[in-house]
Amino acid sequence: MRHIISILLENEAGALSRVAGLFSARGYNIETLTVAPTEDSSLSRLTIVTSGSDEVIEQITKQLNKLIDVIKVVDLSEAAHIERELMLIKVRATGKDREEMKRMAEIFRGRIIDVTDSTYVIELTGSGPKLDAFIQAIDAGLILETVRTGVSGIGSGDRILKV
Amino acid sequence: MMTGAEIVIRCLQEEKVDYVFGYPGGAVLHIYDELFKQDKVKHVLVRHEQAAVHAADGLARSTHKVGVALVTSGPGATNAVTGIATAYMDSIPMVIISGQVPSYYIGQDAFQECDTVGITRPCVKHNFLIKDVRDIAMTMKKAFYIANTGRPGPVVVDIPKDITAAKCKFDYPNDVHMRSYNPVVKGHLGQIKKAVQLLLGARRPMIYTGGGVILSNADKLLTKLTRRLGFPITNTLMGLGAYPATDPQFLGMPGMHGTLEANMAMQHCDVLLAIGARFDDRVIGNPENFASLPRKIIHVDIDPSSISKRVRVDVPIVGNVPDVLAEMIKLIEAEQGKTEIGDWWKEIEGWRSRQCMNYKLKNDVIMPQYVIEKLYEITGGNAIITSDVGQHQMWAAQYYKFDQPRRWLNSGGLGTMGVGLPYAMGAALANPDLQIVCVTGEGSIQMCIQELSTAKQFRLPIKIINLNNRYLGMVRQWQEMFHGSRYSESYMDSLPDFVKLAEAYGHVGIRVERPEEVEGALKKAFIEHKDELVFLDILTDREANVFPMVAAGKGLADMILAEDL
């Protein structure tokens, strides 16, 4: 099962490597990982997408909580939440592909943010699966470069992760 | 104003540290200079940094103080890693101070530079790299606090040389608050009540305890609870001494080399109370075979990640063991009557009557088990026994009956050969009134043999019992049983003359070759040479094996007994 785990941690040197090191040392997998400081610059918010059985996810959250730099851990996917990921994708856009690519971007509510004679850069935001779907939908031979930020997530409504 | 180095030493004084085990070098010269100028914190100069950490660890295990080691940057720190990992696996409270190259050199591949914080990260409870002299006091306070609270563990404090020379005002904080670290103490009362109900309703109960009971000094409460309930109990390798081994309710050690009665009771109980233990593979065997049985498991542990890690438990109780046990005792004492478990005890006595620890004595060869039994007699069961890793470790655990906690020091988790002698050094310094014995083998002892020199310098009257079978015995045993007796690299050739070696270091060496000499040699060591280090090189049966045994990957009931062979 895919899980989105959200972590508040001390914004200190090495804190990120403690989290990443824990995943590699214990054989847990990381599908995506994003991290940035919050409005309180002493705190970082980290989102990890991982997968595993219920037992594995339980161990992951317990082991994360054990790290001294980790303040709070929540499995966002346990309840209502919103996830978003940003993708920048550079595609070949010549001839009839030029119009087709523009149409696909519109269908997926993407924006073309860089245009040359032969390429577009499309900016697309959405859940991880939505970005996957876009990649599936366009001609693979036209993709020149893909950059994805990894998933960020936040709980719905009153679900608030704060110190 | 004080220098960083002076602040480091003042912090150690504030933490009431008696001994620091260490080895000087470039990056820690300022700290050593400050050590020189005072006499409250005594420094023990080891001969290899690995032994510094092990000795500090031995001190911590034998008391309940935080062990402290001091090493230089680069190789000093990397040599310390085995010691740190050993302490980490057994949850031993330690603070390891490592020097680092000056902060403005970090990252430039400077002389004796290594990324100590990076290298030690997976084997510490936490670590710090200090970047400002003003952070030293608070960091040291946090290091001791983290090491010795919650589930204990080693903490590394890495200090660049320029920081130890910089100056600031010294102000040692009285307490420490960390928003990201608040270990639980009290257990959940509802869960404890549920556990007590299960225990009182049990027909085939079993108590299984590990190192957590020793580390949290909960032995007396455990004994009280166990006696009140009248239940059978087993202590793991790390937990020996938590409950008196000579008491009839004690079934011996469980696990790979546990007793038949302990393993069968673990396997066939209907309610299992696990306390400060972690269902390790060497203790429960294959979790598939363990977890599939219909029974209720109650697990008390301060570390939530230990609970339901290998075996799913029914009643998890996260809390400090003594607090939880006190609460349990209170609830149980309020109950009337006693649980009726007479039939269960009859079954246990049936297993016990198989006398799985029996072994055959030989006329012409010394049996290693016999040496441990004699050692037990001559020390009155009161010595602190340290061991290395291998067959001798198992025999010591099986045949020396520990009635008290903190008398049995060994590397259970990491299984580090070479810990025995440095553990004995740490224990000897911290417990000058107790007899200190290192039970070892000719393989293990050579992994930290250089410490005979340290032991001489500090006049530590350790008795080394070298069960010398000229084999890496445990490796040989597995090769015999599982690899067609192909003894690949498990023999010990070109051994030193240990008697001469001991003498060369200024100690007493005695060789023992015949069974009838054992008792006399032990007496000579413990009485005649009471105040000296004595190295007893005891030539034992070459091919004696450790039994009972549960092969790796098997279930606990799948035991190989000596009598089956």
Side-chain angles (χ1 to χ4, degrees), chain A residues 25-63:
Chain A
R26 295 195 180 262
Y28 308 141
N29 78 71
I30 297 180
E31 283 171 21
T32 72
L33 183 155
T34 68
V35 62
T38 65
E39 82 282 5
D40 172 351
S41 63
S42 73
L43 287 174
S44 284
R45 174 81 176 245
L46 192 151
T47 312
I48 288 183
V49 175
T50 184
S51 58
S53 63
D54 290 351
E55 288 77 21
V56 168
I57 300 298
E58 182 183 329
Q59 265 300 309
I60 289 176
T61 51
K62 283 173 170 178
Q63 294 291 349

Side-chain angles (χ1 to χ4, degrees), chain B residues 442 446 470-471 490-496 542:
Chain B
E442 82 287 354
Q446 292 192 80
R470 287 81 76 205
Y471 273 122
S490 56
Y491 65 96
M492 275 268 131
D493 205 348
S494 304
L495 285 169
R542 294 205 72 191

Side-chain angles (χ1 to χ4, degrees), chain B residues 409-430:
Chain B
L409 321 182
N410 79 132
S411 165
L414 197 67
T416 309
M417 290 169 72
V419 297
L421 180 53
Y423 276 1
M425 288 163 25
L429 286 161

Side-chain angles (χ1 to χ4, degrees), chain B residues 65-373:
Chain B
K65 293 181 177 164
V66 177
V68 180
L70 171 59
V71 298
T72 194
S73 64
T78 56
N79 278 346
V81 169
T82 300
I84 296 168
T86 304
Y88 181 65
M89 285 291 271
D90 291 341
S91 309
I92 306 302
M94 309 249 311
V95 171
I96 298 95
I97 301 165
S98 55
Q100 182 54 275
V101 298
S103 50
Y104 43 83
Y105 282 168
I106 288 179
Q108 298 182 15
D109 301 321
F111 177 65
Q112 292 194 329
E113 178 182 357
C114 75
D115 176 11
T116 303
V117 164
I119 289 172
T120 58
R121 188 175 295 127
C123 61
V124 292
K125 184 169 174 188
H126 197 56
N127 58 17
F128 296 95
L129 170 63
I130 298 183
K131 290 179 175 160
D132 188 322
V133 65
R134 288 166 297 183
D135 293 339
I136 294 179
M138 187 42 110
T139 306
M140 291 291 284
K141 182 80 189 175
K142 281 183 182 172
F144 277 87
Y145 171 65
I146 293 170
N148 208 20
T149 51
R151 180 177 180 173
V155 178
V156 167
V157 182
D158 198 29
I159 316 178
K161 187 171 184 179
D162 56 321
I163 306 294
T164 63
K167 286 185 173 176
C168 77
K169 202 168 139 276
F170 174 64
D171 193 7
Y172 201 63
N174 287 322
D175 51 43
V176 50
H177 171 74
M178 296 173 71
R179 62 181 172 183
S180 61
Y181 177 67
N182 297 292
V184 183
V185 178
K186 291 246 176 281
H188 187 279
L189 194 58
Q191 291 290 89
I192 297 175
K193 279 184 180 153
K194 227 157 115 190
V196 167
Q197 285 317 310
L198 269 179
L199 289 170
L200 294 175
R203 307 306 302 264
R204 307 156 68 87
M206 177 67 174
I207 302 174
Y208 144 60
T209 82
V213 175
I214 309 261
L215 290 167
S216 63
N217 297 313
D219 52 290
K220 291 203 170 60
L221 286 166
L222 174 70
T223 305
K224 191 170 173 190
L225 175 76
T226 308
R227 292 217 166 113
R228 175 68 177 79
L229 288 167
F231 290 178
I233 179 169
T234 180
N235 296 156
T236 68
L237 183 73
M238 295 311 299
L240 291 174
Y243 187 85
T246 51
D247 187 275
Q249 277 171 256
F250 185 68
L251 304 190
M253 183 172 77
M256 182 171 271
H257 294 296
T259 63
L260 178 72
E261 51 271 34
N263 282 352
M264 294 307 257
M266 287 277 281
Q267 203 72 356
H268 295 286
C269 60
D270 66 352
V271 176
L272 181 67
L273 171 60
I275 309 169
R278 58 189 181 89
F279 295 88
D280 175 78
D281 56 291
R282 288 297 193 262
V283 170
I284 63 154
N286 189 337
E288 299 287 315
N289 300 340
F290 194 77
S292 60
L293 296 165
R295 69 170 150 221
K296 297 287 180 197
I297 300 178
I298 303 159
H299 191 181
V300 183
D301 205 291
I302 198 156
D303 177 4
S305 76
S306 275
I307 294 176
S308 292
K309 182 171 70 178
R310 300 194 73 239
V311 170
R312 184 136 288 273
V313 308
D314 303 281
V315 186
I317 303 172
V318 177
N320 192 29
V321 168
D323 291 85
V324 175
L325 292 189
E327 206 61 62
M328 276 188 172
I329 290 169
K330 212 158 58 178
L331 290 171
I332 288 167
E333 281 180 342
E335 295 280 334
Q336 298 298 316
K338 223 176 173 182
T339 31
E340 256 325 305
I341 55 165
D343 289 345
W344 176 229
W345 269 114
K346 264 182 218 146
E347 206 171 334
I348 290 170
E349 292 306 336
W351 291 317
R352 179 133 70 181
S353 68
R354 296 275 295 276
Q355 299 193 310
C356 66
M357 286 300 166
N358 280 358
Y359 62 94
K360 285 196 188 77
L361 281 170
K362 292 183 181 170
N363 286 331
D364 48 345
V365 187
I366 301 170
M367 295 308 287
Q369 300 93 326
Y370 171 76
V371 177
I372 305 296
E373 286 183 327

Side-chain angles (χ1 to χ4, degrees), chain B residues 449-465:
Chain B
I449 192 84
Q450 75 285 348
E451 298 308 315
L452 284 174
S453 177
T454 310
K456 181 67 188 172
Q457 184 180 345
F458 292 87
R459 298 168 210 272
L460 305 176
I462 298 161
K463 306 296 178 261
I464 297 173
I465 310 289

